[in-house]
Amino acid sequence: MKTKILAILILLVSFSCTKERKIGVLKVNGLKNIFITIYQDREFDFVTGLYYEISDSEKEIIIPETHLIGTNDYITSLENFQAKSIDSTLYLTWGNVNEVFAVYDLKSGKGYPRGKTNDDWGKELEIGNELIKKLKEKKPKLNANWDK
């Protein structure tokens, strides 16, 4: 009995100590063994952070957890998210399949948003816009959520 109570307490403490909760993992369409994991802050506020992480099939992190956007929605599933690619560039949409929230080029290692690795937001935004321009050459309807 004491062991069960201790196990429950350990689970509750570990659950409450993590900043985010994992919503799920998306396979990137068109790329073999590349995945995007979506997280949301546990502490719900007026606007709650969504985060993304890119990994490969061995669960090696390509892009560590990075802030994606704030939302007032409590996300419980990935049904409105899509992860696709054109050549080596992957992109993430949410809701509108033509509205890109994150973009990353596997060959160059550049992407947007990349907030935890780059303090120069202007340069980061420029990179995101360049990648969107590249994607638009093959899918003209795509647009950047950050460029509204």
Side-chain angles (χ1 to χ4, degrees):
M1 180 70 169
K2 287 182 182 180
T3 308
K4 286 183 182 180
I5 291 172
L6 182 60
I8 290 170
L9 286 174
I10 290 171
L11 280 172
L12 287 173
V13 169
S14 65
F15 179 77
S16 63
C17 289
T18 57
K19 183 181 171 194
E20 300 91 18
R21 64 182 177 80
K22 183 177 176 179
I23 297 170
V25 180
L26 294 165
K27 165 109 178 61
V28 177
N29 245 357
L31 291 173
K32 188 176 180 181
N33 300 324
I34 302 293
F35 302 88
I36 296 179
T37 305
I38 307 292
Y39 302 90
Q40 186 170 26
D41 279 336
R42 285 193 184 283
E43 191 174 307
F44 198 75
D45 200 352
F46 180 72
V47 175
T48 304
L50 284 180
Y51 302 84
Y52 78 105
E53 177 179 271
I54 302 173
S55 62
D56 68 15
S57 63
E58 266 92 69
K59 304 209 188 249
E60 292 292 321
I61 304 299
I62 297 170
I63 296 294
E65 192 176 308
T66 300
H67 185 264
L68 182 63
I69 194 166
T71 181
N72 58 3
D73 295 326
Y74 183 78
I75 309 299
T76 58
S77 76
L78 297 175
E79 68 182 322
N80 293 317
F81 290 90
Q82 290 190 18
K84 296 183 179 182
S85 69
I86 296 175
D87 301 323
S88 66
T89 305
L90 62 91
Y91 61 96
L92 177 69
T93 65
W94 179 32
N96 180 345
V97 296
N98 292 314
E99 188 172 357
V100 176
F101 282 80
V103 61
Y104 183 77
D105 180 28
L106 292 167
K107 283 184 183 174
S108 71
K110 294 180 179 180
Y112 181 86
R114 292 288 308 276
K116 290 187 178 182
T117 60
N118 186 356
D119 291 331
D120 185 352
W121 284 94
K123 177 73 172 162
E124 186 176 327
L125 191 59
E126 196 176 295
I127 289 167
N129 289 334
E130 286 172 15
L131 290 171
I132 289 292
K133 185 177 177 182
K134 180 180 163 186
L135 290 174
K136 285 175 83 74
E137 290 172 5
K138 295 199 176 174
K139 283 198 150 191
K141 290 185 179 183
L142 289 178
N143 59 64
N145 168 267
W146 58 87
D147 198 25
K148 285 183 171 184

